[in-house]
Amino acid sequence: MDALPKDHRLIFEFLRRSGRRENETRALKIRDVSFSKGVYYIRNAFDEEELKEFPKVAETGGAAIPMDHEDVYLVDIFRKAIGGRSGLDDFVFINTITGRGYKAVTLNSIFRNAREKAGFLTITANEFGRHSFATRKIEEGWSFDHVSVFLLNSPEVVRKRYANVTRATRSAILRLHSKSSKIGSGGKPGAK
């Protein structure tokens, strides 16, 4: 994050904390954010530079995603990104240099420059955001089904992509069961 230019950190912070696809994030409009309900909606996505009226997985269009859960405080990111703007059809994340929504080529260029500066030459923006989010959640013990609900993917797709994250998952399961067996035994390991 420190290698990213300050003017562009909000969109990358959102990608990292939300697990959203870049093209869904670029397509978020102010009308998609409901502070009163504490959710944001995935209604649109870009295909290259063409705005589509549904995300990559069409049947998930209109999905309401909580802004805040566990350590993810998206409401603060949304408030900063929107600022005092009120145009419902304005994009949430604006490139402060152009005053318009981000283009894919610009976002990729910003990320490429930052990753080179940071010394991470092979990581993609998708790995930085979406895959990091999913991996963290699996390491915390979330099931593939639970991760799929937030990524708006099928559990099968999530399982196929992240099944290799098993060492951390197995460790989390062992910690979970270790804690529950200690509680049931009065805190003494091995006691029944």
Side-chain angles (χ1 to χ4, degrees), residues 51-65:
L51 186 62
K52 302 279 187 165
E53 291 190 18
F54 53 84
K56 185 174 181 178
V57 182
E59 56 272 9
T60 63
I65 310 291

Side-chain angles (χ1 to χ4, degrees), residues 2-192:
D2 291 341
L4 289 161
K6 288 183 182 178
D7 288 347
H8 304 294
R9 284 186 188 165
L10 274 179
I11 192 167
F12 288 101
E13 184 68 18
F14 180 81
L15 289 169
R16 186 175 75 85
R17 291 189 174 273
S18 70
R20 298 274 50 88
R21 293 178 180 94
E22 295 168 57
N23 290 337
E24 293 169 347
T25 299
R26 292 191 308 124
L28 282 171
K29 295 188 175 186
I30 292 175
R31 68 178 160 85
D32 297 326
V33 179
S34 175
F35 291 109
S36 63
K37 293 180 182 176
V39 299
Y40 65 97
Y41 298 92
I42 303 300
R43 294 186 172 119
N44 306 297
F46 278 100
D47 181 7
E48 300 290 325
E49 292 306 321
E50 183 183 347
L51 186 62
K52 302 279 187 165
E53 291 190 18
F54 53 84
K56 185 174 181 178
V57 182
E59 56 272 9
T60 63
I65 310 291
M67 283 191 223
D68 293 335
H69 53 92
E70 295 181 17
D71 65 338
V72 180
Y73 302 103
L74 301 178
V75 69
D76 296 334
I77 294 172
F78 281 127
R79 287 194 195 286
K80 288 176 187 172
I82 294 170
R85 295 180 296 129
S86 60
L88 295 179
D89 284 325
D90 288 351
F91 292 112
V92 169
F93 296 100
I94 299 294
N95 181 337
T96 57
I97 295 168
T98 65
R100 295 187 299 264
Y102 282 92
K103 301 237 180 240
V105 66
T106 304
L107 208 56
N108 289 328
S109 176
I110 292 165
F111 185 79
R112 187 175 52 253
N113 292 337
R115 80 167 188 214
E116 289 171 6
K117 183 177 175 182
F120 295 104
L121 303 181
T122 60
I123 190 172
T124 66
N126 204 39
E127 290 167 333
F128 169 80
R130 190 168 179 81
H131 296 322
S132 291
F133 174 88
T135 301
R136 277 192 318 273
K137 296 307 175 190
I138 290 168
E139 287 174 350
E140 292 170 9
W142 283 32
S143 70
F144 294 126
D145 290 346
H146 291 163
V147 172
S148 74
V149 168
F150 275 84
L151 294 184
L152 302 180
N153 270 111
S154 71
E156 294 78 28
V157 167
V158 172
R159 186 173 289 105
K160 182 178 178 182
R161 180 169 301 273
Y162 301 105
N164 63 346
V165 188
T166 53
R167 180 179 165 267
T169 304
R170 289 180 184 129
S171 295
I173 292 167
L174 286 172
R175 283 192 304 276
L176 178 68
H177 287 285
S178 173
K179 288 178 185 175
S180 66
S181 68
K182 286 179 185 177
I183 292 169
S185 66
K188 296 178 184 172
K192 301 221 179 199

